[in-house]
Amino acid sequence: MRMLLVVRECRARERFVAALSALGAECDVAASARELLTAMRHCRYNGVLFDVPTIVRTKDFDRKLLHALAEVYPSVRLRHDPATDAIFALGSECGPGSRDGLSVFVAACRDFLPRGLRRGERVDAALPAVLWRVPPRPGCDGTGGEKTCTTNISSLGCFVFSTAPWAVGDSVWVEFPDIAREAVRAKVAWHEPWGCRRAIPGVGLTFLEIPAALGEELVRLGCDPTDFEVASPPKRP
């Protein structure tokens, strides 16, 4: 399991890294906005940890980026107390406030499928969609699948409204009836259950392929086509 730690102060960094190692988690450290972007674009992570003094005092961090990371990844805010050497963790995955928050957070991250930072910007789009747990039969009218819609989409994946029980790593086929005849193979990258937070329930899907018709629609919506190669399977010789 690999984590990304955003921290600048040396003593706090050493303490956080040691605590994560003791919990069985490797971590990369970003002390600047440039290091953060480089790490997110080249590695996949199970979660992100923010040192509170770093993100408050360091002016070069893009607040929109930090907010987006907290939406996409399990995240936690950390504070190191130099007087007691204690670590305090605050976040929705940490449970009630306590000194055990970091261990609770790390345990929760084990169920999150590691992922990198999406390179294509999300576009808000309510596209009719049908979710399938097995490949749909050609020519079916959606009966047997979960009829729903997307809330946003990018060249690497989409978020689809759903109250069904999904798990990170589940295989899924998603149809876009208004766009393409063939279902798109995808995988559940993250799941927002119904009623757990004041958030839209559903699944964040990573596309495993991009049919031509879907690719054309993504371009029309304003998604960056240079990222399609990332989500598509390798080309045959």
Side-chain angles (χ1 to χ4, degrees):
M1 184 169 58
R2 196 171 194 87
M3 317 290 277
L4 179 61
L5 173 63
V6 180
V7 59
R8 175 165 287 183
E9 200 275 323
C10 293
R11 185 175 176 184
R13 179 184 62 207
E14 293 173 357
R15 182 69 176 90
F16 295 154
V17 170
L20 288 168
S21 178
L23 293 170
E26 298 181 359
C27 74
D28 295 333
V29 177
S32 68
R34 176 172 293 184
E35 291 179 359
L36 174 61
L37 284 172
T38 299
M40 298 303 300
R41 292 185 185 280
H42 291 87
C43 299
R44 293 178 176 270
Y45 297 103
N46 296 81
V48 181
L49 307 97
F50 302 105
D51 173 54
V52 172
T54 297
I55 62 175
V56 170
R57 298 170 187 168
T58 306
K59 303 302 182 183
D60 65 334
F61 283 108
D62 184 339
R63 302 300 169 186
K64 291 183 179 179
L65 173 60
L66 297 180
H67 180 71
L69 294 179
E71 284 189 330
V72 172
Y73 295 87
S75 63
V76 64
R77 298 185 299 280
L78 301 178
R79 184 174 63 84
H80 173 244
D81 182 359
T84 62
D85 206 32
I87 296 175
F88 297 92
L90 177 64
S92 59
E93 291 90 357
C94 294
S98 73
R99 295 192 181 188
D100 296 326
L102 183 59
S103 61
V104 174
F105 172 74
V106 171
C109 288
R110 297 186 189 279
D111 294 327
F112 183 81
L113 187 68
R115 62 185 304 185
L117 179 68
R118 89 169 29 89
R119 287 189 273 179
E121 290 295 328
R122 287 180 292 181
V123 174
D124 292 336
L127 303 178
V130 184
L131 296 179
W132 299 86
R133 296 180 186 271
V134 296
R137 299 187 309 274
C140 67
D141 61 359
T143 302
E146 182 182 358
K147 295 180 179 179
T148 179
C149 67
T150 65
T151 62
N152 60 63
I153 194 166
S154 78
S155 55
L156 298 185
C158 62
F159 185 85
V160 181
F161 173 82
S162 175
T163 58
W166 295 93
V168 172
D170 281 352
S171 294
V172 58
W173 285 260
V174 55
E175 282 186 291
F176 298 102
D178 293 347
I179 300 173
R181 295 181 179 178
E182 55 186 313
V184 179
R185 292 192 308 119
K187 181 167 288 190
V188 176
W190 63 288
H191 175 224
E192 186 70 54
W194 181 89
C196 287
R197 300 190 299 170
R198 293 184 179 180
I200 296 175
V203 284
L205 303 180
T206 297
F207 293 142
L208 301 181
E209 59 187 7
I210 298 287
L214 177 58
E216 292 172 2
E217 179 65 14
L218 291 174
V219 171
R220 191 189 69 78
L221 290 171
C223 298
D224 187 351
T226 61
D227 285 331
F228 293 168
E229 199 67 32
V230 178
S232 302
K235 295 182 178 179
R236 296 178 181 177

